[in-house]
Coordinates of all heavy atoms in Angstrom, one line a residue:
A544 N 123.7 -22.6 -74.0 CA 124.5 -23.1 -75.1 C 125.1 -21.9 -76.0 O 126.2 -21.9 -76.4 CB 123.7 -24.0 -76.0
G545 N 124.3 -20.9 -76.4 CA 124.7 -19.9 -77.2 C 125.1 -20.3 -78.6 O 124.9 -21.5 -79.0
K546 N 125.6 -19.4 -79.4 CA 126.0 -19.8 -80.8 C 127.5 -20.1 -80.8 O 128.2 -19.5 -80.0 CB 125.7 -18.6 -81.8 CG 124.3 -18.3 -82.0 CD 124.1 -17.3 -83.1 CE 124.3 -15.9 -82.6 NZ 124.0 -14.9 -83.6
P547 N 127.9 -21.0 -81.7 CA 129.4 -21.3 -81.8 C 130.1 -20.1 -82.3 O 129.6 -19.4 -83.1 CB 129.4 -22.5 -82.7 CG 128.2 -22.4 -83.6 CD 127.2 -21.8 -82.7
G548 N 131.4 -20.0 -81.9 CA 132.2 -18.9 -82.5 C 133.4 -18.7 -81.7 O 133.6 -19.1 -80.6
L549 N 134.3 -18.0 -82.4 CA 135.6 -17.5 -81.8 C 135.7 -16.0 -82.2 O 135.3 -15.6 -83.2 CB 136.8 -18.2 -82.5 CG 138.2 -17.6 -82.1 CD1 138.6 -17.9 -80.7 CD2 139.2 -18.0 -83.1
N550 N 136.2 -15.2 -81.2 CA 136.3 -13.8 -81.4 C 137.6 -13.4 -80.7 O 137.8 -13.7 -79.5 CB 135.2 -13.1 -80.8 CG 135.1 -11.6 -81.1 OD1 136.0 -11.0 -81.6 ND2 134.0 -11.0 -80.9
C551 N 138.6 -12.8 -81.5 CA 139.8 -12.3 -80.8 C 140.4 -11.1 -81.5 O 140.1 -10.8 -82.6 CB 140.8 -13.5 -80.7 SG 141.6 -14.0 -82.2
R552 N 141.4 -10.5 -80.8 CA 142.1 -9.4 -81.2 C 143.6 -9.6 -80.8 O 143.8 -9.9 -79.6 CB 141.5 -8.1 -80.6 CG 142.3 -6.8 -81.1 CD 141.8 -5.6 -80.4 NE 142.3 -5.6 -79.1 CZ 141.5 -5.2 -78.0 NH1 140.3 -4.9 -78.1 NH2 142.1 -5.2 -76.8
I553 N 144.5 -9.3 -81.7 CA 145.9 -9.4 -81.4 C 146.5 -8.0 -81.5 O 146.3 -7.3 -82.6 CB 146.7 -10.3 -82.4 CG1 146.0 -11.7 -82.5 CG2 148.1 -10.4 -82.1 CD1 146.4 -12.6 -83.7
D554 N 147.0 -7.5 -80.5 CA 147.6 -6.2 -80.5 C 149.2 -6.3 -80.4 O 149.7 -7.0 -79.5 CB 147.2 -5.4 -79.2 CG 145.7 -5.0 -79.3 OD1 145.3 -4.4 -80.3 OD2 144.9 -5.4 -78.4
I555 N 149.8 -5.7 -81.4 CA 151.3 -5.9 -81.5 C 151.9 -4.5 -81.5 O 151.5 -3.6 -82.3 CB 151.7 -6.7 -82.8 CG1 151.0 -8.0 -82.8 CG2 153.2 -6.8 -82.9 CD1 151.0 -8.7 -84.1
E556 N 153.0 -4.3 -80.7 CA 153.7 -3.1 -80.7 C 155.1 -3.3 -81.2 O 155.9 -4.1 -80.6 CB 153.8 -2.6 -79.2 CG 154.5 -1.3 -79.1 CD 154.6 -0.8 -77.7 OE1 154.0 -1.4 -76.8 OE2 155.4 0.2 -77.5
L557 N 155.4 -2.7 -82.4 CA 156.7 -2.8 -83.0 C 157.5 -1.6 -82.6 O 156.9 -0.7 -81.9 CB 156.6 -2.9 -84.5 CG 155.8 -4.2 -85.0 CD1 155.6 -4.1 -86.5 CD2 156.6 -5.4 -84.7
E558 N 158.7 -1.4 -83.1 CA 159.5 -0.3 -82.8 C 158.8 1.0 -83.1 O 158.9 2.0 -82.4 CB 160.9 -0.4 -83.5 CG 161.9 0.6 -83.0 CD 162.3 0.3 -81.5 OE1 162.4 -0.9 -81.1 OE2 162.5 1.3 -80.8
D559 N 158.2 1.1 -84.3 CA 157.7 2.4 -84.8 C 156.2 2.3 -85.2 O 155.7 3.3 -85.8 CB 158.5 2.9 -86.0 CG 158.6 1.9 -87.1 OD1 158.1 0.7 -86.9 OD2 159.1 2.2 -88.2
E560 N 155.5 1.3 -84.9 CA 154.1 1.2 -85.2 C 153.4 0.2 -84.3 O 154.0 -0.7 -83.7 CB 153.9 0.9 -86.7 CG 154.3 -0.5 -87.1 CD 154.0 -0.9 -88.6 OE1 152.9 -0.6 -89.0 OE2 154.9 -1.4 -89.2
R561 N 152.1 0.3 -84.4 CA 151.2 -0.6 -83.6 C 150.3 -1.3 -84.7 O 149.8 -0.7 -85.6 CB 150.3 0.1 -82.6 CG 151.1 0.6 -81.4 CD 150.1 1.3 -80.5 NE 150.9 1.8 -79.3 CZ 151.0 1.2 -78.2 NH1 150.4 0.1 -78.0 NH2 151.7 1.8 -77.2
L562 N 150.2 -2.6 -84.5 CA 149.3 -3.4 -85.4 C 148.2 -4.0 -84.6 O 148.3 -4.4 -83.4 CB 150.1 -4.6 -86.1 CG 151.3 -4.2 -86.9 CD1 152.1 -5.4 -87.3 CD2 150.9 -3.3 -88.1
C563 N 147.0 -4.1 -85.2 CA 145.9 -4.8 -84.6 C 145.3 -5.8 -85.6 O 144.9 -5.4 -86.7 CB 144.8 -3.8 -84.2 SG 143.4 -4.5 -83.4
I564 N 145.3 -7.0 -85.2 CA 144.7 -8.1 -86.1 C 143.5 -8.6 -85.4 O 143.6 -9.1 -84.2 CB 145.8 -9.2 -86.3 CG1 147.0 -8.6 -87.0 CG2 145.2 -10.3 -87.1 CD1 148.2 -9.6 -87.0
R565 N 142.4 -8.6 -86.1 CA 141.1 -9.0 -85.5 C 140.5 -10.2 -86.3 O 140.8 -10.4 -87.4 CB 140.1 -7.9 -85.5 CG 140.5 -6.7 -84.6 CD 139.5 -5.6 -84.8 NE 140.0 -4.3 -84.2 CZ 139.5 -3.9 -83.1 NH1 138.6 -4.5 -82.4 NH2 140.0 -2.7 -82.6
T566 N 139.7 -11.0 -85.6 CA 139.1 -12.1 -86.3 C 138.1 -11.5 -87.4 O 137.4 -10.6 -87.1 CB 138.3 -13.0 -85.4 OG1 137.5 -12.2 -84.4 CG2 139.2 -14.0 -84.6
D567 N 138.2 -12.1 -88.6 CA 137.4 -11.7 -89.7 C 137.3 -12.9 -90.7 O 137.8 -14.0 -90.3 CB 137.9 -10.4 -90.3 CG 139.3 -10.5 -90.9 OD1 139.8 -11.7 -91.1 OD2 139.9 -9.5 -91.2
E568 N 136.8 -12.6 -91.8 CA 136.6 -13.7 -92.8 C 137.9 -14.3 -93.4 O 137.9 -15.3 -94.0 CB 135.7 -13.2 -94.0 CG 136.3 -12.2 -94.9 CD 136.3 -10.7 -94.3 OE1 135.6 -10.5 -93.3 OE2 137.0 -9.9 -94.9

């Protein structure tokens, strides 16, 4: 069964930068 939860990371490449959005509060 484990513990309930979601965990993810979104990696985005723009023209001049990279963004990383992670699951948090």
Side-chain angles (χ1 to χ4, degrees):
K546 292 190 280 187
L549 170 75
N550 191 345
C551 74
R552 182 185 73 224
I553 307 166
D554 293 303
I555 303 167
E556 183 181 350
L557 299 172
E558 192 65 39
D559 56 352
E560 69 178 310
R561 290 180 182 261
L562 302 174
C563 182
I564 301 169
R565 298 173 188 258
T566 44
D567 60 18
E568 68 280 351

